[in-house]
Amino acid sequence: MVGTLMYEVCRICYNTESKYIFEGKLLHHVVKYYECAICGFVQTENPYWLEEAYDSAINDVDTGIMQRNHLCSKRATNLCALLKIKNEIILDFAGGYSIFTRLMRDIGFNVLWQDKYCANLLAKGFGYDGKSVKLLTAFEVFEHLESPINTLDEMFSISSNIFFSTLLIPEPTPKIEDWWYYGQNHGQHIGFYRKKTLKYLAKKYNKNLYSYNAEIHLLSENRISPILFKILMRFYNLFFIFTQKRVSSKIWNDYIEIEKINDIKFL
C-alpha cells in the first residue's frame, strides 16, 4: 500500500503500533483509520482538516442538539442526587452554545459554562471562573479531542468527577460507510472509544468507571452502585420528576444577577 503508514502512535495509550485498518472519506478528504490493540481506541490519521471541519463550531447536521441537551439535563439531575450534589459548582466543559448550562440553571443547579471555540449565547454572566468544581460534564466532546490525554489532564485538574457522553464503537470495527458516528459529512469526529478504552483511562487516572449502554459514562472518585447508576440513566424521565425537587430554579436569581452586570456596564 504505497504512501500509507501501517502504524501510528495511539493518542490514548501511546502504543506505537496502532494498526492501519481502512480508509474512508471525511468531507472531501480520504482519511486513514487506525486501531490500537492495547486499549481498543480507533483514531483517524493526524486530522489536518479540522479548520475546515470547524468552519461552524456546531455542525449543521446536529439536528438532535436540543433533544440531547434536554435528555442530558435530566440524567445529570439524577446523577447529582446520587452524588449528593446540590449547591456545588458544576462545569459544562466545551459547552457549545450553553444550552445545557441554561437548562441546568433553570432546574436549579449552579452550572457554569466553558468553551474555547463557541459563543456563550444563553448563559452570559455564568462562564467558568476557575473555582473548585464538584462535577464536570462533557457531552459529545470526547470524539472531537485531538489530544485526549492532554484534555483529560485538564479536566481532572478541574474536577474529580467527569460525566460524559460518547458513543462506543462496535466490535468488530465497522467500515466507515457502515456506522453513522464516523461523521463523514462534518469531519469533526476523530477518535472512537470502547469500554476497554474507558477502563484503561479509569485505571490511568485512578477513577471508578460507570457506563449505561454504549452512550453515557461517568469517571468518578466516588464509589456508587453500578446498578443504581444504570437505573437512573435508563429511567431518567421517571426519576427526574423527584430528583428535580431537591433544588429551586435559578431563573429569577439569574435575571437579577444579569441586571446587576448590565447596570455596571452602563455606569
Side-chain angles (χ1 to χ4, degrees):
M1 194 171 296
V2 178
T4 297
L5 290 174
M6 296 308 296
Y7 297 97
E8 280 209 352
V9 176
C10 174
R11 295 197 280 266
I12 293 290
C13 69
Y14 300 111
N15 168 32
T16 57
E17 295 190 357
S18 188
K19 188 177 180 180
Y20 171 85
I21 49 174
F22 57 74
E23 65 183 20
K25 184 170 279 190
L26 282 187
L27 299 173
H28 57 273
H29 304 281
V30 177
V31 174
K32 302 173 184 64
Y33 286 77
Y34 296 81
E35 182 172 350
C36 179
I38 293 177
C39 71
F41 189 62
V42 175
Q43 66 188 45
T44 66
E45 62 182 288
N46 180 46
Y48 56 83
W49 59 90
L50 289 186
E51 185 175 350
E52 177 185 355
Y54 285 99
D55 180 53
S56 173
I58 306 298
N59 70 72
D60 294 339
V61 297
D62 191 1
T63 56
I65 188 170
M66 298 303 295
Q67 181 187 56
R68 184 173 66 250
N69 276 277
H70 277 284
L71 185 153
C72 288
S73 68
K74 292 178 179 181
R75 282 178 165 164
T77 297
N78 294 342
L79 178 66
C80 286
L82 186 58
L83 297 179
K84 300 179 180 177
I85 296 171
K86 189 172 181 180
N87 300 312
E88 296 90 340
I89 295 173
I90 300 167
L91 172 63
D92 191 29
F93 188 93
Y97 294 146
S98 61
I99 299 169
F100 177 79
T101 300
R102 186 65 264 162
L103 286 172
M104 289 295 285
R105 297 191 69 84
D106 288 358
I107 293 167
F109 292 98
N110 189 14
V111 177
L112 302 179
W113 170 94
Q114 179 268 4
D115 198 313
K116 297 175 183 177
Y117 306 105
C118 202
N120 181 355
L121 300 183
L122 301 174
K124 292 180 180 179
F126 302 103
Y128 178 55
D129 54 7
K131 292 180 180 177
S132 177
V133 170
K134 182 65 176 179
L135 176 67
L136 182 149
T137 58
F139 299 115
E140 298 300 301
V141 173
F142 276 49
E143 62 276 6
H144 295 259
L145 300 179
E146 193 170 358
S147 301
I149 296 303
N150 289 342
T151 304
L152 277 162
D153 287 346
E154 179 185 358
M155 288 179 175
F156 279 122
S157 73
I158 296 170
S159 177
S160 297
N161 302 294
I162 300 176
F163 185 46
F164 64 103
S165 66
T166 191
L167 189 59
L168 301 184
I169 190 167
E171 293 191 69
T173 305
K175 297 291 187 182
I176 194 166
E177 63 271 14
D178 295 332
W179 194 45
W180 68 275
Y181 205 63
Y182 285 121
Q184 287 183 270
N185 51 2
H186 58 73
Q188 295 181 2
H189 291 184
I190 59 174
F192 307 93
Y193 303 73
R194 290 196 164 96
K195 191 68 174 289
K196 182 179 180 181
T197 319
L198 299 185
K199 286 180 178 179
Y200 173 89
L201 292 171
K203 184 175 181 180
K204 174 180 173 63
Y205 290 100
N206 193 28
K207 304 299 178 187
N208 301 296
L209 172 66
Y210 306 94
S211 289
Y212 170 67
N213 286 350
E215 55 184 297
I216 196 85
H217 319 280
L218 173 68
L219 288 167
S220 177
E221 64 179 354
N222 299 83
R223 287 188 177 275
I224 59 177
S225 165
I227 296 174
L228 185 54
F229 176 79
K230 290 178 181 179
I231 290 172
L232 290 172
M233 295 303 106
R234 180 176 181 180
F235 302 106
Y236 61 90
N237 267 322
L238 173 63
F239 285 95
F240 175 72
I241 294 170
F242 305 100
T243 56
Q244 67 176 317
K245 294 179 180 179
R246 299 173 57 249
V247 291
S248 299
S249 176
K250 294 184 178 295
I251 292 175
W252 180 247
N253 288 339
D254 284 359
Y255 170 80
I256 295 171
E257 188 67 27
I258 296 300
E259 281 283 280
K260 289 179 183 176
I261 293 171
N262 288 337
D263 287 343
I264 292 171
K265 283 182 181 177
F266 291 109
L267 284 177

